[in-house]
Every structure is written in structure tokens, then in C-alpha cells.
Amino acid sequence: MRSLLPRPADDMAGVDVVAAYAPPAWTRRGPFVRCTMISSVDGAVTLHGRSGGLGGPADRLVFQVLRSWADVVVVGAGTARAEGYGPVRLDDELRAVRIARGQPPVPPIAVVTRSGTLDLGPAFFTEAEARPIVVTAAGAGESAVRCDRRVSALADVLVAGEGTVDLDAAFGRLAGDGHPSVLLEGGPGLNADVVRAGLLDELCLTVSPRLVAGGGARVVAGPELDPPLSMEVVGLLEADGFLFFRLAVSAER
Ligand SMILES: NC(=O)c1ccc[n+]([C@@H]2O[C@H](COP(=O)([O-])OP(=O)(O)OC[C@H]3O[C@@H](n4cnc5c(N)ncnc54)[C@H](OP(=O)(O)O)[C@@H]3O)[C@@H](O)[C@H]2O)c1
């Protein structure tokens, strides 16, 4: 892997890749929301309904490094269902880096759901080293979540908002509970709500050297943003033709 921006460097070691994704220092004061997504060169975020076909070894490394910085991984229930989410697993090196920073060895996953119908495999709950969190809203979602015996026994439930999750409140509560650094893993539907709530700080976008056409979703769903959200490239890595953009949302949103 090599760095193109902010400083060119060849043959980056694992520690250099970790350092390239260090969150800005000010983030420790409140929620810092960093989204990670992979897209084809023509903007599709799925191939056959999932993201895996777009990736490669370097992408998987960056994904693990991003998880290693996070206090909590936040994901939409649609993605958790489509991708068959299991618990976070990190290798010994990344676990050691977290422990040295004072973080637990792996971050928990927080699934955001309106319906409260998670339909996730048992491993998500039973094999999780960090207790999962289910984020839902008061109303039907909360009722469904409370009726799910696996959730009530093996996960924490965070209720924020009525009918739909108030993401500002949810991220605030996560930060207050010791999870200020959020890695948002999509999908496009949840990303849209986060962006429209003005909560996005950073996007780590992998551009995969694949052209896929079709009708696959984009990084953010929904109608055009008017005005568009301005972003600055604060880092760019390359490996095997994959480009790894680190984009910070401009101060004037
Ligand atoms: N290329 C990539 O990097 C990447 C990354 C992630 C996902 N993906 C792909 O994207 C697709 C899934 O994306 P998606 O947009 O359909 O689903 P999604 O954004 O993962 O999840 C949408 C669901 O999240 C919940 N949700 C979102 N916003 C909410 C809010 N404000 N309050 C309460 N609940 C909220 C709802 O769950 P309920 O339905 O339970 O109410 C909603 O249906 C999959 O094909 C996946 O493979 C690609």
C-alpha cells in the first residue's frame, strides 16, 4: 500500500496504515462520526446485492483498521440483514493497539432499526465479544425489540426518538456511554439520515477498480442534497488499483 496524500510514501507498514486513519484530536470532546463505504468507479455500492464483490485484500485491511479506531460500529438493519452481520473480529495486532490506547479489544456493533425486526443470525448475539446494542425508537420498533428474546438477553437497547430514531440523540447517548468515536458502516439509507441530520464528520470511501453498471444504490440514498455537502480530501492511499479516500466534511456545511 502507498500513500499519495497528504504525503507520498511507498510500502506502508501496518502501523503506518493505522496512523493514516487517526481521528482528529478534537473528536474526543463529542461524537465523531466517520462513515466507511466501498463503491465501484461508476458509483455502485453493491454487486449482486452485497458489497463483498467490490472489495479485495487491501480494502479488507483498511476496513479492519477503521474498526480498530472505533468506540462503536453503527450499521443500518438493512445492511446487517443483507450482509449477514456477525460480531467484530480483529487480529492480535489491532487488538493490542486498542488495548494500549485504553479501548476494549473490540468495539460493539450498534444496529439501527425502526421496525425492530432484526432477523440476524445467532452468532451476532452469541459470539459477540462486546455486547451488541440495538438502537430503536419508541413505538412499534421498541415493542418488537423488547419481544425478541435474544435481544433482551444478549444486547443493550437504546431508545431515542418516537417512531424513527433521533440519530443526534442516539449518537449523543452513545458518546455519553463511552462510545464517542462512531464508525458508520452504512448502508445508503442510514447514511442518508445521518447526512441530513448534519452528523457526518468524515467519509472513508474506497473506490474499487470495477465498472458494474446496473441499478445498485449509491453511497447516500434519497433525493439530491441541495446544496451538496462539500468535503476535503485529507488522505489518499492506493493498493492494487483501489483508491482509499479519506474525506472530511468541510467546516461550513
Ligand atoms: N458498499 C458498501 O460499502 C456498503 C456498505 C453498507 C451496505 N451496503 C449495501 O447496502 C444495502 C443496504 O442498504 P439499505 O440502504 O437498504 O439499508 P441500511 O441503510 O443498511 O438500513 C436501512 C434500515 O436501517 C434502519 N434505519 C435507517 N435509518 C433509520 C432511522 N433514522 N431510524 C430508525 N431506523 C433507521 C431501518 O431498519 P428497519 O428496516 O429494521 O426498520 C431501515 O430500513 C445492502 O445491499 C448492502 O450490501 C454496501
Side-chain angles (χ1 to χ4, degrees):
M1 183 167 294
R2 63 184 173 134
S3 168
L4 304 175
L5 290 170
R7 278 172 301 282
D10 288 328
D11 297 327
M12 295 173 81
V15 287
D16 301 326
V17 180
V18 172
Y21 287 99
W26 56 264
T27 62
R28 288 285 154 197
R29 290 205 297 272
F32 167 67
V33 182
R34 168 146 78 179
C35 176
T36 179
M37 293 290 286
I38 184 168
S39 108
S40 68
V41 283
D42 51 338
V45 300
T46 55
L47 191 59
H48 310 307
R50 294 169 69 142
S51 60
L54 297 170
D59 167 61
R60 285 190 282 278
L61 169 68
V62 168
F63 187 70
Q64 293 295 83
V65 165
L66 287 169
R67 281 186 157 188
S68 78
W69 277 109
D71 293 316
V72 62
V73 166
V74 172
V75 67
T79 294
R81 289 187 287 258
E83 304 269 349
Y85 255 53
V88 173
R89 292 192 172 91
L90 294 175
D91 67 23
D92 289 345
E93 215 171 311
L94 291 176
R95 291 167 68 90
V97 167
R98 286 178 61 88
I99 292 165
R101 269 189 226 127
Q103 292 174 298
V106 295
I109 297 185
V111 189
V112 182
T113 175
R114 195 175 288 114
S115 67
T117 311
L118 290 174
D119 197 20
L120 300 176
F124 180 83
F125 297 99
T126 58
E127 292 174 19
E129 193 177 334
R131 193 173 163 88
I133 302 165
V134 176
V135 181
T136 193
E142 183 182 5
S143 306
V145 159
R146 303 272 183 215
C147 291
D148 185 327
R149 288 195 357 233
R150 279 187 314 197
V151 173
S152 44
L154 300 170
D156 291 333
V157 178
L158 193 166
V159 179
E162 285 269 338
T164 196
V165 171
D166 176 337
L167 292 165
D168 194 8
F171 288 159
R173 294 260 299 280
L174 286 170
D177 290 346
H179 307 303
S181 184
V182 173
L183 182 65
L184 172 66
E185 295 188 350
L190 180 58
N191 292 350
D193 288 355
V194 171
V195 168
R196 283 169 206 287
L199 296 170
L200 187 70
D201 295 303
E202 206 174 281
L203 173 64
C204 289
L205 176 67
T206 300
V207 177
S208 167
R210 314 252 189 284
L211 191 66
V212 306
R218 312 248 297 273
V219 168
V220 177
E224 270 181 14
L225 295 169
D226 186 17
L229 194 60
S230 294
M231 309 189 97
E232 293 160 32
V233 181
V234 294
L236 178 58
L237 309 183
E238 187 274 342
D240 306 326
F242 286 77
L243 291 171
F244 301 92
F245 285 89
R246 183 173 173 189
L247 300 142
V249 173
S250 303
E252 65 291 348
R253 290 175 188 251

